[in-house]
Amino acid sequence: MTEYNLWNIFPRMPKKVTIGDITIRDGFQHEEKFISTAAKKYYLDELIFAGCRNIEVTNLGNPFIMPQFQDAEELLTHLRSDRFKKRCERKGVNYDDICLTCITIREGAVDRAIELKEKGIGPDRLLMMVSTEEEHHFANSGTTLPEYWREAERCIKKCNDAGMKMCGTVSTIWGSPIGGATELKDAVEFTKRWLEIGAHDVEHADHDGSASAPEVYRYFSMILDQIPNMDLHIAHFHETKRMASASILACLQAGITHFEATLGGLGGQPANFLDDCPVKGTGEYYYKDPRYVGLMCLEDLLVQIDEMGIEHGYDVDRVLKLGQQMEKTIGRRLRSEAVINGPTEKDGHPQFARPGLRQRKEKQGEAPGQKVPESWGETAVLPDHLHP
């Protein structure tokens, strides 16, 4: 007999997951207009109140390169304020459960994070990034891979000494927009390198949107075979092919429990234009059509996870409302389908029913709920030649 229970077929598939939000940092970094500091504070607050406990706040790199994050210190000050902590208390949120992450691609940003920590407003966790494909890595960081690994090792020691955690990102796992195809085994080795030099966890990133579900399952199976601690691994998918939901399912089947997403699927390569002025960013965009840029939608991911019966800790309706508001903030239709159609309605949409069904059944002498003629058997009987 066929096994119908997914958890029996895929015994590693979790019953509970952690979903981090990275809208305010990764989501906004690709926007070519400055998102107001007030709006950033609003979405940070509301995402936390909706159930997010792992949230990316900002980028601590040079604001000359990415001026979207010129308000980094103000956002951290807001989240560390007594006023915000009291709001959390009133809403039943344990402030100590919240992990604030800042991106610190280079050592100067790590040093800035340490200074902010000493001022009492620093993040809990930092993030640095390597790509397995060196041209992509050089475009993002301006260093060779060996040069960056030495820098990352120094930075991890610095941030750990300052009481912060470091996440090491591995990018171009399934492909690079510059160098093309990559080898999964290189990403497995880079994951081990991060952990070898003291990273707290590893973000496995499909920044190119190249992943396919079979290769995602293969990769994370390789990872968990060698590094089975689920808490060490975070899955991060982009939507250049609109296939991230299939990749999420493949992750779950492999056993991954930690994910990241953005409201509306916002995000992508750092913007090279802001308001009316060209800015440095990371250079020319890899994709000329903005429809092919962005991450997995938080709204759609939550609906997918929720309808699988997997615990996630979010108020889904509240997040869908935030997704609708985000479309007004950004000023365009975003990529989430769930904000339009919502989750599957178990009670249906009776307002669309055609009038007269009850009367028609009465006229035909049918009982309410009767679905086949009364003279038929209780269950269907297949013809002999169709039996398995």
Side-chain angles (χ1 to χ4, degrees):
M1 292 293 290
T2 301
E3 174 58 68
Y4 299 131
N5 187 314
L6 271 178
W7 279 269
N8 289 340
I9 303 170
F10 300 101
R12 279 179 163 176
M13 195 162 75
K15 295 289 184 70
K16 180 179 181 179
V17 297
T18 298
I19 301 173
D21 179 84
I22 56 177
T23 304
I24 314 306
R25 197 282 303 177
D26 204 334
F28 288 166
Q29 78 174 12
H30 190 65
E31 292 305 303
E32 292 187 344
K33 75 169 186 175
F34 183 73
I35 308 300
S36 73
T37 305
K40 290 170 184 167
K41 290 178 182 178
Y42 174 81
Y43 287 108
L44 286 167
D45 291 2
E46 290 302 315
L47 282 161
I48 289 169
F49 299 151
C52 182
R53 296 294 176 267
N54 296 277
I55 194 160
E56 276 189 12
V57 179
T58 191
N59 188 319
L60 292 178
N62 189 341
F64 172 76
I65 297 173
M66 284 182 280
Q68 182 67 254
F69 305 112
Q70 61 193 263
D71 54 6
E73 189 165 339
E74 186 172 349
L75 297 181
L76 285 165
T77 300
H78 166 73
L79 292 173
R80 293 302 188 197
S81 68
D82 290 338
R83 180 176 180 273
F84 178 70
K85 291 176 182 178
K86 288 176 182 175
R87 289 185 69 201
C88 287
E89 186 178 355
R90 288 197 300 270
K91 293 178 180 292
V93 175
N94 184 347
Y95 184 82
D96 292 336
D97 290 342
I98 302 168
C99 179
L100 306 181
T101 295
C102 288
I103 306 307
T104 54
I105 298 298
R106 299 300 307 275
E107 191 166 5
V110 173
D111 291 339
R112 185 182 178 195
I114 293 169
E115 291 172 6
L116 294 172
K117 184 76 172 177
E118 290 170 351
K119 291 169 64 174
I121 60 170
D124 303 299
R125 179 174 171 267
L126 309 179
L127 184 145
M128 296 183 76
M129 186 183 84
V130 295
S131 303
T132 60
E133 197 273 298
E134 198 162 24
E135 289 289 356
H136 185 267
H137 176 83
F138 183 70
N140 280 338
S141 70
T143 72
T144 68
L145 279 168
E147 182 183 8
Y148 192 85
W149 280 119
R150 289 191 292 271
E151 183 174 326
E153 186 174 26
R154 290 195 306 271
C155 290
I156 289 175
K157 185 178 187 311
K158 282 184 178 183
C159 84
N160 287 344
D161 288 348
M164 294 180 289
K165 300 172 182 177
M166 177 68 81
C167 173
T169 293
V170 179
S171 184
T172 62
I173 296 170
W174 295 275
S176 164
I178 300 175
T182 54
E183 294 283 346
L184 297 184
K185 62 181 175 59
D186 292 340
V188 175
E189 180 64 21
F190 275 28
T191 298
K192 292 178 179 179
R193 291 293 183 183
W194 275 122
L195 297 172
E196 178 184 29
I197 63 175
H200 176 261
D201 51 18
V202 178
E203 176 191 83
H204 304 267
D206 180 28
H207 288 146
D208 183 45
S210 296
S212 64
E215 289 301 290
V216 169
Y217 181 83
R218 179 171 172 240
Y219 172 72
F220 280 112
S221 295
M222 291 165 66
I223 285 290
L224 291 175
D225 280 349
Q226 298 189 48
I227 314 165
N229 184 342
M230 309 293 189
D231 291 336
L232 294 175
H233 307 293
I234 304 153
H236 173 116
F237 292 103
H238 284 231
E239 277 279 30
T240 55
K241 298 186 292 187
R242 297 295 282 159
M243 294 173 63
S245 60
S247 294
I248 295 295
L249 179 58
C251 283
L252 291 168
Q253 291 169 341
I256 294 300
T257 61
H258 288 61
F259 300 90
E260 293 177 333
T262 62
L263 286 169
L266 287 167
Q269 193 176 354
N272 59 24
F273 218 92
L274 194 70
D275 294 332
D276 61 353
C277 183
V279 298
K280 188 172 182 179
T282 53
E284 292 298 314
Y285 297 150
Y286 304 138
Y287 303 101
K288 303 303 181 185
D289 190 325
R291 292 177 299 174
Y292 298 111
V293 177
L295 283 85
M296 178 70 197
C297 296
L298 177 64
E299 304 95 311
D300 296 0
L301 174 59
L302 282 176
V303 168
Q304 177 183 0
I305 294 288
D306 195 64
E307 294 189 356
M308 290 181 71
I310 297 173
E311 186 180 345
H312 50 73
Y314 280 82
D315 181 333
V316 176
D317 290 336
R318 191 164 184 167
V319 172
L320 293 178
K321 177 66 175 177
L322 286 175
Q324 294 167 358
Q325 292 174 326
M326 183 61 77
E327 293 196 342
K328 292 185 177 182
T329 295
I330 299 299
R332 67 178 185 272
R333 172 77 174 94
L334 301 180
R335 301 177 72 154
S336 171
E337 301 302 326
V339 297
I340 301 297
N341 298 310
T344 303
E345 290 284 351
K346 293 182 171 57
D347 294 329
H349 301 276
Q351 69 271 28
F352 300 130
R354 178 178 173 180
L357 175 61
R358 181 178 59 81
Q359 293 86 346
R360 177 81 176 187
K361 289 186 76 66
E362 289 176 354
K363 184 177 179 180
Q364 296 295 320
E366 298 171 5
Q370 182 181 334
K371 295 183 178 179
V372 297
E374 192 175 5
S375 60
W376 289 17
E378 289 188 12
T379 59
V381 178
L382 289 173
D384 290 342
H385 71 280
L386 294 179
H387 282 284

